[in-house]
Amino acid sequence: MVPGNVPPQLAVVLPFVRANPWLTEAVVSLEASAAGLPWQLIAVDDGSSDGGSDLLLRLTAHWPPGQLLLLQGGGRGVSAARNQAIAAASAPLIAFLDADDRALPERLCAPLAALQADPGLDHVQGGWLRIDAAGQLISRVEPWREGADFDRHAALTHKAVLPSAWTIRRSALEAIGGFDTSLRHAEDVDLLLRLAAAGHRGAWIPRPLVRYRVHAGGASRQLQGQIEGLADVVDRHLQDLPPEQAAWAAGVRYGTLSWGAWK
């Protein structure tokens, strides 16, 4: 933990709702990954009914003043909650962590070092370990091994993104207006594609940075809405491609729908 009078270089955005089973693990993992860093946690309670805010205050009672900023989101959804936190941040870098995920030791220091070393780099993302509800490993996800990248073509092809493993300059988020609050699903893919379309440069940190929890209440289990939402987002971003890319765009649409059918 750093002194309360040190300006944070990085703000971690943590939206949560009915997250009591996971919140303690998330906060403890962040503390471990942030040891010695000038950081701030901006948490948004998006309408919890299980005492999540009280739990978070107890978990962080020993922190210096200003280390935690706890906001009330009012149940407007994860995109609005993240945007609310981004608007309240003063740090130049924004990292995300969903309340049911767990930070690995390099979650904060590796992106901070990468973005400080290259001023022309706007966002970085690491891989992730998929775990079950009990925390047992399911699989490793390393999208860079499959050709995923951050230019528009690669982003549309692979659509590889996980907010909990993502760190973005606040200036880039503000330039494109943050997350689209009209989207109930695939808001992270939409943000990735808008960053790419606007020319914001991204890069991989080629190792896992978080444990991504797959459980019955997670967004990844809302498959019908997720598939339809992703298809809508992809279609939106294919609409303004030039005619000579029509065949490639059709392939992207087919690949997206095929993935949905496989899921």
Side-chain angles (χ1 to χ4, degrees):
M1 202 66 67
V2 298
N5 60 351
V6 176
Q9 296 178 16
L10 186 148
V12 179
V13 169
L14 179 77
F16 66 94
V17 58
R18 298 183 298 280
N20 263 14
W22 327 114
L23 199 54
T24 298
E25 289 185 42
V27 172
V28 170
S29 71
L30 276 174
E31 275 194 291
S33 69
L37 296 179
W39 77 296
Q40 180 184 38
L41 176 61
I42 306 181
V44 183
D45 185 340
D46 198 34
S48 295
S49 56
D50 58 0
S53 286
D54 291 338
L55 173 59
L56 185 58
L57 290 172
R58 292 196 300 273
L59 291 170
T60 61
H62 61 290
W63 289 12
Q67 191 83 51
L68 169 70
L69 178 58
L70 176 58
L71 308 175
Q72 298 300 315
R76 294 180 296 150
V78 68
S79 292
R82 288 174 180 150
N83 287 348
Q84 182 180 359
I86 293 164
S90 60
L93 305 179
I94 304 293
F96 300 97
L97 188 74
D98 287 346
D100 49 359
D101 297 337
R102 293 166 56 185
L104 289 171
E106 290 188 276
R107 170 63 188 97
L108 300 183
C109 62
L112 179 62
L115 289 164
Q116 287 181 333
D118 186 348
L121 192 59
D122 292 304
H123 59 115
V124 293
Q125 186 177 186
W128 54 96
L129 305 177
R130 297 176 73 246
I131 60 174
D132 63 19
Q136 297 301 306
L137 179 65
I138 299 171
S139 63
R140 296 172 66 94
V141 182
E142 299 176 331
W144 58 89
R145 297 188 185 277
E146 301 170 4
D149 212 335
F150 298 95
D151 62 274
R152 196 178 190 191
H153 186 282
L156 276 164
T157 301
H158 294 277
K159 301 172 281 293
V161 60
L162 181 73
S164 288
W166 207 4
T167 304
I168 309 175
R169 293 193 192 276
R170 181 163 56 88
S171 58
L173 286 165
E174 291 172 345
I176 64 169
F179 290 89
D180 187 339
T181 58
S182 71
L183 297 173
R184 294 186 60 196
H185 298 280
E187 77 289 336
D188 48 359
V189 175
D190 174 72
L191 184 71
L192 174 69
L193 295 174
R194 286 191 287 121
L195 284 167
H200 293 288
R201 188 160 66 89
W204 287 108
I205 295 175
R207 52 194 177 275
L209 295 182
V210 295
R211 297 181 185 271
Y212 169 64
R213 197 184 305 269
V214 179
H215 60 94
S220 63
R221 292 301 182 95
Q222 302 170 24
L223 285 179
Q224 186 67 30
Q226 184 187 35
I227 292 165
E228 292 175 356
L230 180 61
D232 288 345
V233 163
V234 169
D235 274 343
R236 177 191 301 186
H237 286 273
L238 290 174
Q239 286 177 358
D240 59 349
L241 291 178
E244 59 268 23
Q245 296 188 30
W248 177 79
V252 171
R253 288 190 179 94
Y254 177 78
T256 302
L257 294 175
S258 297
W259 173 87
W262 173 78
K263 293 290 283 188

